[in-house]
Amino acid sequence: MATNLLKVGNDPNSAIKTFCVDTIEEIAKLPTMEHGATGDFANIPGLESPAQMGSQAIVGNESGTVKIYMLFSFGWKDTGTE
């Protein structure tokens, strides 16, 4: 079980990260709560450290659909929003 207090009133309480990638497959290369980025993303400055729970990844793809994923202790989860 894990939790992260994202906001107190209108003030952010944690270093939530927002990522933007081209494809759903690239989600697997993004940082998680346990490790920094992997694969092609491992050497990009700022991606070497783990991300906080509640971080988001915006995914665009060639079909025109944009999806939003959120990071939890078990990994990235599709929020069902487009």
Coordinates of all heavy atoms in Angstrom, one line a residue:
M1 N 0.9 -1.2 0.0 CA 0.0 0.0 0.0 C 0.9 1.2 0.0 O 1.9 1.3 0.7 CB -0.9 0.0 1.2 CG -1.8 1.1 1.3 SD -2.8 0.9 2.8 CE -4.1 2.0 2.4
A2 N 0.5 2.2 -0.8 CA 1.3 3.5 -0.9 C 0.4 4.6 -1.0 O -0.8 4.5 -1.5 CB 2.2 3.4 -2.1
T3 N 0.8 5.8 -0.6 CA 0.0 7.0 -0.7 C 1.0 8.2 -0.9 O 2.2 8.1 -0.6 CB -0.9 7.2 0.5 OG1 -1.7 8.4 0.2 CG2 -0.1 7.5 1.7
N4 N 0.5 9.2 -1.5 CA 1.2 10.5 -1.7 C 0.3 11.6 -1.6 O -0.7 11.7 -2.3 CB 1.9 10.4 -3.0 CG 2.9 11.6 -3.2 OD1 3.3 12.2 -2.2 ND2 3.3 11.9 -4.4
L5 N 0.5 12.6 -0.7 CA -0.3 13.8 -0.6 C 0.1 14.7 -1.7 O 1.2 15.3 -1.7 CB -0.1 14.4 0.8 CG -0.9 15.7 1.1 CD1 -2.4 15.4 1.0 CD2 -0.5 16.2 2.5
L6 N -0.8 14.9 -2.7 CA -0.4 15.6 -3.9 C -0.6 17.1 -3.7 O 0.2 17.9 -4.2 CB -1.3 15.2 -5.1 CG -1.2 13.7 -5.5 CD1 -2.1 13.5 -6.6 CD2 0.2 13.3 -5.8
K7 N -1.6 17.6 -2.9 CA -1.9 19.0 -2.8 C -2.5 19.3 -1.5 O -3.3 18.5 -1.0 CB -2.8 19.3 -3.9 CG -3.0 20.8 -4.2 CD -4.1 21.0 -5.2 CE -3.6 21.8 -6.4 NZ -4.7 22.1 -7.3
V8 N -2.2 20.4 -0.9 CA -2.8 20.9 0.3 C -3.4 22.2 0.0 O -2.7 23.2 -0.3 CB -1.8 21.0 1.5 CG1 -2.5 21.6 2.7 CG2 -1.1 19.7 1.8
G9 N -4.7 22.3 -0.1 CA -5.4 23.5 -0.5 C -5.0 23.7 -2.0 O -5.1 22.9 -2.8
N10 N -4.4 24.9 -2.3 CA -4.0 25.2 -3.6 C -2.5 25.0 -3.8 O -1.9 25.4 -4.8 CB -4.4 26.6 -4.1 CG -5.9 26.7 -4.3 OD1 -6.5 25.7 -4.8 ND2 -6.5 27.8 -4.0
D11 N -1.8 24.5 -2.8 CA -0.4 24.4 -2.8 C 0.1 23.0 -3.0 O -0.3 22.1 -2.3 CB 0.2 24.9 -1.4 CG -0.1 26.3 -1.2 OD1 -0.1 27.2 -2.1 OD2 -0.4 26.7 0.0
P12 N 0.9 22.8 -4.1 CA 1.4 21.4 -4.3 C 2.3 21.0 -3.2 O 3.0 21.7 -2.6 CB 2.2 21.6 -5.6 CG 2.3 23.0 -5.9 CD 1.4 23.7 -5.0
N13 N 2.2 19.6 -2.9 CA 3.0 19.1 -1.8 C 4.1 18.1 -2.2 O 4.8 17.6 -1.4 CB 2.0 18.4 -0.8 CG 2.6 18.1 0.5 OD1 3.2 18.9 1.1 ND2 2.6 16.8 0.9
S14 N 4.2 17.8 -3.5 CA 5.2 16.9 -3.9 C 5.7 17.3 -5.3 O 5.1 18.0 -6.0 CB 4.7 15.4 -3.9 OG 3.6 15.3 -4.8
A15 N 6.8 16.7 -5.7 CA 7.4 17.0 -7.0 C 6.8 16.1 -8.1 O 7.5 15.2 -8.6 CB 8.9 16.8 -6.9
I16 N 5.6 16.3 -8.4 CA 4.9 15.5 -9.4 C 5.6 15.8 -10.8 O 5.8 17.0 -11.1 CB 3.4 15.8 -9.5 CG1 2.7 15.5 -8.2 CG2 2.7 15.1 -10.6 CD1 2.8 14.0 -7.8
K17 N 5.8 14.8 -11.6 CA 6.4 15.0 -12.9 C 5.4 14.8 -14.0 O 4.5 14.0 -13.8 CB 7.6 14.1 -13.1 CG 8.7 14.3 -12.1 CD 9.9 13.4 -12.4 CE 11.0 13.7 -11.4 NZ 12.2 12.8 -11.6
T18 N 5.5 15.5 -15.0 CA 4.6 15.3 -16.2 C 5.5 15.0 -17.4 O 6.4 15.7 -17.7 CB 3.7 16.5 -16.5 OG1 2.9 16.9 -15.3 CG2 2.8 16.3 -17.7
F19 N 5.2 13.9 -18.1 CA 5.9 13.4 -19.2 C 5.0 13.5 -20.5 O 3.8 13.4 -20.3 CB 6.4 12.0 -19.0 CG 7.2 11.8 -17.8 CD1 6.6 11.3 -16.6 CD2 8.6 12.1 -17.8 CE1 7.4 11.1 -15.5 CE2 9.3 11.9 -16.6 CZ 8.7 11.4 -15.5
C20 N 5.6 13.6 -21.6 CA 4.9 13.5 -22.9 C 5.6 12.6 -23.8 O 6.8 12.8 -24.0 CB 4.7 14.9 -23.5 SG 3.6 14.9 -24.9
V21 N 5.0 11.5 -24.3 CA 5.6 10.6 -25.2 C 4.7 10.4 -26.4 O 3.6 10.7 -26.5 CB 5.9 9.2 -24.5 CG1 6.9 9.4 -23.4 CG2 4.6 8.6 -24.0
D22 N 5.4 9.8 -27.5 CA 4.7 9.6 -28.8 C 3.8 8.4 -28.8 O 2.7 8.4 -29.5 CB 5.7 9.5 -29.9 CG 6.3 10.8 -30.3 OD1 5.6 11.8 -30.2 OD2 7.4 10.8 -30.8
T23 N 4.2 7.3 -28.1 CA 3.4 6.0 -28.2 C 3.2 5.4 -26.8 O 4.0 5.7 -25.9 CB 4.2 5.0 -29.1 OG1 5.4 4.7 -28.4 CG2 4.5 5.6 -30.5
I24 N 2.2 4.5 -26.7 CA 2.0 3.8 -25.5 C 3.1 2.9 -25.1 O 3.4 2.8 -23.9 CB 0.7 3.0 -25.7 CG1 -0.5 4.0 -25.7 CG2 0.5 2.0 -24.5 CD1 -1.8 3.3 -26.1
E25 N 3.8 2.4 -26.1 CA 5.0 1.5 -25.8 C 6.1 2.2 -25.1 O 6.8 1.6 -24.3 CB 5.5 0.9 -27.1 CG 4.6 -0.1 -27.8 CD 3.5 0.6 -28.6 OE1 3.6 1.8 -28.9 OE2 2.5 -0.1 -28.8
E26 N 6.2 3.5 -25.3 CA 7.2 4.3 -24.6 C 6.9 4.5 -23.1 O 7.9 4.9 -22.3 CB 7.4 5.7 -25.3 CG 8.0 5.5 -26.6 CD 8.1 6.8 -27.4 OE1 7.2 7.6 -27.3 OE2 9.1 7.1 -28.0
I27 N 5.7 4.3 -22.6 CA 5.4 4.4 -21.2 C 6.3 3.5 -20.4 O 6.8 3.8 -19.3 CB 3.9 4.0 -21.0 CG1 3.0 5.0 -21.5 CG2 3.6 3.7 -19.5 CD1 2.9 6.3 -20.7
A28 N 6.6 2.3 -20.9 CA 7.5 1.3 -20.2 C 8.9 1.8 -20.0 O 9.6 1.3 -19.1 CB 7.5 0.0 -21.0
K29 N 9.3 2.9 -20.7 CA 10.7 3.4 -20.6 C 10.7 4.6 -19.6 O 11.8 5.0 -19.2 CB 11.2 3.9 -21.9 CG 11.3 2.8 -23.0 CD 11.7 3.4 -24.3 CE 11.7 2.3 -25.4 NZ 12.1 2.9 -26.7
L30 N 9.6 5.1 -19.2 CA 9.5 6.2 -18.3 C 9.9 5.8 -16.9 O 9.8 4.7 -16.5 CB 8.1 6.8 -18.3 CG 7.7 7.5 -19.6 CD1 6.2 8.0 -19.4 CD2 8.6 8.7 -19.9
P31 N 10.3 6.8 -16.0 CA 10.6 6.5 -14.6 C 9.4 6.0 -13.9 O 8.3 6.3 -14.3 CB 11.0 7.9 -14.1 CG 11.5 8.7 -15.2 CD 10.6 8.2 -16.4
T32 N 9.6 5.2 -12.9 CA 8.6 4.7 -12.0 C 9.0 5.2 -10.6 O 9.9 5.9 -10.4 CB 8.5 3.2 -12.0 OG1 9.6 2.6 -11.5 CG2 8.2 2.6 -13.5
M33 N 8.2 4.7 -9.6 CA 8.5 5.1 -8.3 C 9.8 4.4 -7.8 O 10.4 4.8 -6.8 CB 7.4 4.7 -7.3 CG 6.2 5.6 -7.6 SD 4.8 5.2 -6.5 CE 5.5 5.5 -4.9
E34 N 10.2 3.3 -8.5 CA 11.4 2.5 -8.1 C 12.6 2.8 -8.8 O 13.7 2.4 -8.4 CB 11.0 1.0 -8.1 CG 9.9 0.7 -7.2 CD 9.5 -0.8 -7.3 OE1 10.1 -1.6 -8.0 OE2 8.6 -1.2 -6.6
H35 N 12.5 3.3 -10.1 CA 13.7 3.5 -10.9 C 13.6 4.6 -11.9 O 12.4 5.0 -12.2 CB 14.1 2.2 -11.6 CG 13.1 1.7 -12.6 ND1 12.8 2.3 -13.8 CD2 12.2 0.7 -12.5 CE1 11.9 1.7 -14.4 NE2 11.5 0.7 -13.6
G36 N 14.7 5.1 -12.4 CA 14.7 6.2 -13.4 C 14.3 5.6 -14.7 O 14.0 4.4 -14.9
A37 N 14.4 6.4 -15.8 CA 14.0 6.0 -17.1 C 15.0 4.9 -17.6 O 16.1 4.7 -17.1 CB 14.1 7.2 -18.1
T38 N 14.5 4.1 -18.6 CA 15.3 3.0 -19.2 C 15.3 3.2 -20.7 O 14.7 4.0 -21.3 CB 14.7 1.7 -18.8 OG1 13.3 1.6 -19.3 CG2 14.6 1.4 -17.3
G39 N 16.1 2.3 -21.3 CA 16.2 2.3 -22.8 C 16.6 3.6 -23.4 O 17.5 4.2 -22.8
D40 N 16.0 4.0 -24.4 CA 16.3 5.3 -25.1 C 16.2 6.5 -24.2 O 16.8 7.5 -24.5 CB 15.4 5.5 -26.3 CG 15.4 4.4 -27.3 OD1 16.3 3.6 -27.3 OD2 14.5 4.3 -28.1
F41 N 15.4 6.4 -23.1 CA 15.2 7.6 -22.3 C 16.2 7.7 -21.1 O 16.2 8.6 -20.4 CB 13.8 7.6 -21.7 CG 12.7 7.7 -22.7 CD1 11.4 7.3 -22.4 CD2 12.9 8.1 -24.0 CE1 10.4 7.4 -23.3 CE2 11.9 8.2 -24.9 CZ 10.6 7.8 -24.6
A42 N 17.0 6.6 -20.9 CA 17.9 6.6 -19.7 C 18.9 7.7 -19.7 O 19.3 8.1 -18.6 CB 18.6 5.2 -19.7
N43 N 19.3 8.2 -20.8 CA 20.3 9.3 -20.8 C 19.8 10.7 -20.9 O 20.6 11.6 -21.1 CB 21.4 9.0 -21.9 CG 22.1 7.7 -21.6 OD1 22.5 7.4 -20.5 ND2 22.4 7.0 -22.6
I44 N 18.5 10.9 -20.8 CA 17.9 12.2 -20.9 C 17.9 12.9 -19.6 O 17.5 12.3 -18.6 CB 16.4 12.1 -21.5 CG1 16.4 11.5 -22.9 CG2 15.8 13.5 -21.4 CD1 15.0 11.2 -23.4
P45 N 18.6 14.1 -19.5 CA 18.6 14.8 -18.2 C 17.3 15.0 -17.6 O 16.3 15.3 -18.3 CB 19.3 16.1 -18.6 CG 20.0 15.8 -19.8 CD 19.2 14.8 -20.6
G46 N 17.2 14.7 -16.3 CA 15.9 14.8 -15.6 C 15.1 13.6 -15.5 O 14.2 13.5 -14.7
L47 N 15.5 12.6 -16.3 CA 14.7 11.3 -16.3 C 15.5 10.2 -15.5 O 15.0 9.1 -15.4 CB 14.4 10.8 -17.7 CG 13.5 11.7 -18.5 CD1 13.2 11.1 -19.9 CD2 12.2 12.1 -17.8
E48 N 16.6 10.5 -15.0 CA 17.4 9.5 -14.4 C 16.9 9.1 -13.0 O 17.3 8.1 -12.4 CB 18.9 9.9 -14.3 CG 19.2 11.1 -13.4 CD 18.9 12.5 -14.1 OE1 18.7 12.5 -15.3 OE2 18.9 13.5 -13.3
S49 N 16.1 9.9 -12.3 CA 15.6 9.6 -11.0 C 14.2 9.1 -11.0 O 13.4 9.4 -12.0 CB 15.7 10.9 -10.1 OG 15.0 11.9 -10.6
P50 N 13.8 8.4 -10.0 CA 12.4 7.9 -9.9 C 11.4 9.1 -9.9 O 11.8 10.2 -9.6 CB 12.3 7.2 -8.6 CG 13.7 6.7 -8.4 CD 14.6 7.9 -8.9
A51 N 10.1 8.8 -10.2 CA 9.1 9.8 -10.2 C 8.1 9.6 -9.0 O 8.0 8.4 -8.5 CB 8.3 9.7 -11.5
Q52 N 7.5 10.6 -8.6 CA 6.5 10.5 -7.5 C 5.2 9.9 -8.0 O 4.8 10.0 -9.1 CB 6.2 11.9 -7.0 CG 7.4 12.6 -6.3 CD 7.5 12.1 -4.9 OE1 6.6 11.6 -4.2 NE2 8.7 12.2 -4.4
M53 N 4.5 9.2 -7.0 CA 3.2 8.7 -7.3 C 2.3 9.9 -7.6 O 2.4 11.0 -7.0 CB 2.6 8.0 -6.1 CG 1.2 7.5 -6.3 SD 0.4 6.9 -4.7 CE 1.3 5.4 -4.5
G54 N 1.5 9.7 -8.7 CA 0.6 10.8 -9.1 C 1.2 11.5 -10.3 O 0.5 12.4 -10.9
S55 N 2.4 11.2 -10.7 CA 3.0 11.8 -11.9 C 2.2 11.4 -13.1 O 1.5 10.3 -13.1 CB 4.5 11.3 -12.1 OG 5.3 11.9 -11.1
Q56 N 2.2 12.1 -14.2 CA 1.4 11.9 -15.3 C 2.2 11.7 -16.6 O 3.2 12.3 -16.7 CB 0.3 13.0 -15.5 CG -0.6 13.1 -14.4 CD -1.6 14.2 -14.7 OE1 -1.5 15.0 -15.6 NE2 -2.6 14.3 -13.8
A57 N 1.7 10.9 -17.5 CA 2.3 10.8 -18.8 C 1.2 11.0 -19.9 O 0.1 10.4 -19.8 CB 2.9 9.4 -19.0
I58 N 1.4 12.0 -20.8 CA 0.5 12.2 -21.8 C 1.0 11.5 -23.1 O 2.2 11.7 -23.4 CB 0.4 13.8 -22.1 CG1 -0.1 14.5 -20.8 CG2 -0.6 14.1 -23.3 CD1 0.1 15.9 -20.8
V59 N 0.2 10.7 -23.7 CA 0.6 9.9 -24.8 C -0.2 10.3 -26.1 O -1.4 10.2 -26.1 CB 0.3 8.4 -24.5 CG1 0.9 7.5 -25.7 CG2 1.0 8.0 -23.2
G60 N 0.5 10.7 -27.1 CA -0.1 11.0 -28.4 C 0.3 9.9 -29.3 O 1.3 9.2 -29.1
N61 N -0.5 9.6 -30.3 CA -0.1 8.6 -31.3 C -0.7 9.0 -32.6 O -1.4 9.9 -32.8 CB -0.6 7.2 -30.9 CG -2.1 7.1 -30.7 OD1 -2.8 7.5 -31.6 ND2 -2.6 6.6 -29.6
E62 N -0.3 8.3 -33.7 CA -0.6 8.6 -35.0 C -2.1 8.6 -35.4 O -2.5 9.2 -36.3 CB 0.2 7.7 -36.0 CG 1.7 8.0 -35.9 CD 2.5 7.2 -36.9 OE1 1.9 6.8 -38.0 OE2 3.6 6.9 -36.7
S63 N -2.9 7.8 -34.6 CA -4.3 7.7 -34.9 C -5.0 9.0 -34.4 O -6.2 9.1 -34.7 CB -4.9 6.5 -34.2 OG -4.9 6.7 -32.8
G64 N -4.3 9.9 -33.7 CA -5.0 11.1 -33.2 C -5.5 11.1 -31.8 O -5.9 12.1 -31.3
T65 N -5.5 9.9 -31.2 CA -6.0 9.8 -29.8 C -4.9 10.2 -28.8 O -3.8 9.8 -29.0 CB -6.4 8.3 -29.5 OG1 -7.4 7.9 -30.5 CG2 -7.0 8.2 -28.1
V66 N -5.3 11.0 -27.9 CA -4.3 11.4 -26.8 C -4.8 10.7 -25.5 O -6.0 10.9 -25.2 CB -4.3 12.9 -26.6 CG1 -3.4 13.3 -25.4 CG2 -3.8 13.6 -27.9
K67 N -3.9 10.0 -24.8 CA -4.3 9.3 -23.6 C -3.5 9.8 -22.4 O -2.4 10.3 -22.6 CB -4.1 7.8 -23.7 CG -5.0 7.2 -24.8 CD -4.7 5.7 -25.0 CE -5.6 4.9 -24.0 NZ -7.0 5.0 -24.0
I68 N -4.0 9.7 -21.2 CA -3.3 10.2 -20.0 C -3.2 9.0 -19.1 O -4.1 8.3 -18.8 CB -4.1 11.3 -19.3 CG1 -4.2 12.5 -20.2 CG2 -3.4 11.7 -18.0 CD1 -5.1 13.6 -19.7
Y69 N -1.9 8.8 -18.7 CA -1.6 7.7 -17.7 C -1.1 8.4 -16.4 O -0.6 9.5 -16.4 CB -0.4 6.9 -18.2 CG -0.8 5.9 -19.3 CD1 -1.2 6.3 -20.6 CD2 -0.8 4.5 -19.0 CE1 -1.5 5.4 -21.5 CE2 -1.1 3.6 -20.0 CZ -1.5 4.1 -21.3 OH -1.9 3.2 -22.2
M70 N -1.3 7.7 -15.3 CA -0.9 8.2 -14.0 C -0.1 7.1 -13.3 O -0.3 5.9 -13.5 CB -2.1 8.5 -13.1 CG -1.7 9.2 -11.8 SD -3.1 9.8 -10.8 CE -3.2 11.4 -11.6
L71 N 1.0 7.5 -12.6 CA 1.9 6.6 -11.9 C 1.4 6.3 -10.5 O 1.1 7.1 -9.7 CB 3.3 7.2 -11.8 CG 4.4 6.4 -11.2 CD1 4.6 5.1 -12.0 CD2 5.7 7.2 -11.1
F72 N 1.4 4.9 -10.2 CA 1.0 4.4 -8.9 C 2.2 3.5 -8.5 O 3.1 3.3 -9.2 CB -0.3 3.6 -9.0 CG -1.5 4.5 -9.3 CD1 -1.9 4.7 -10.6 CD2 -2.2 5.2 -8.3 CE1 -3.0 5.5 -10.9 CE2 -3.2 6.0 -8.6 CZ -3.6 6.2 -9.9
S73 N 2.1 3.0 -7.3 CA 3.1 2.1 -6.7 C 3.3 0.9 -7.6 O 4.4 0.3 -7.6 CB 2.9 1.7 -5.3 OG 1.7 1.0 -5.2
F74 N 2.3 0.4 -8.3 CA 2.4 -0.7 -9.1 C 2.7 -0.4 -10.6 O 2.8 -1.3 -11.4 CB 1.1 -1.6 -9.1 CG -0.2 -0.7 -9.4 CD1 -0.6 -0.4 -10.6 CD2 -0.9 -0.2 -8.3 CE1 -1.7 0.4 -10.9 CE2 -2.0 0.5 -8.5 CZ -2.4 0.8 -9.8
G75 N 3.0 0.9 -10.9 CA 3.4 1.3 -12.2 C 2.4 2.2 -12.9 O 1.5 2.8 -12.2
W76 N 2.5 2.4 -14.2 CA 1.7 3.4 -14.9 C 0.3 2.7 -15.2 O 0.2 1.6 -15.6 CB 2.4 3.7 -16.2 CG 3.6 4.6 -16.0 CD1 4.9 4.2 -16.0 CD2 3.6 6.0 -15.8 NE1 5.7 5.3 -15.7 CE2 5.0 6.4 -15.6 CE3 2.6 7.0 -15.7 CZ2 5.3 7.7 -15.4 CZ3 3.0 8.3 -15.5 CH2 4.3 8.6 -15.3
K77 N -0.7 3.5 -15.1 CA -2.1 3.1 -15.3 C -2.8 4.0 -16.2 O -2.8 5.2 -16.0 CB -2.8 3.0 -13.9 CG -4.3 2.6 -14.0 CD -4.5 1.2 -14.2 CE -6.0 0.9 -14.2 NZ -6.3 -0.4 -14.8
D78 N -3.5 3.5 -17.2 CA -4.3 4.3 -18.1 C -5.5 4.8 -17.3 O -6.2 4.1 -16.7 CB -4.8 3.4 -19.3 CG -5.6 4.1 -20.3 OD1 -6.0 5.3 -20.1 OD2 -5.8 3.5 -21.4
T79 N -5.7 6.2 -17.4 CA -6.8 6.8 -16.6 C -8.1 6.7 -17.4 O -9.1 7.0 -16.8 CB -6.5 8.3 -16.4 OG1 -6.4 9.0 -17.6 CG2 -5.2 8.5 -15.6
G80 N -8.1 6.2 -18.6 CA -9.3 6.1 -19.4 C -9.7 7.4 -20.0 O -10.8 7.5 -20.6
T81 N -8.9 8.5 -19.9 CA -9.2 9.8 -20.4 C -8.5 10.0 -21.8 O -7.4 9.5 -22.0 CB -8.8 10.9 -19.5 OG1 -7.4 10.8 -19.2 CG2 -9.6 10.9 -18.2
E82 N -9.2 10.6 -22.7 CA -8.7 10.9 -24.0 C -8.9 12.3 -24.3 O -9.8 12.9 -23.9 CB -9.3 10.0 -25.1 CG -9.0 8.5 -24.9 CD -9.6 7.7 -26.0 OE1 -10.2 8.2 -26.9 OE2 -9.4 6.5 -25.9

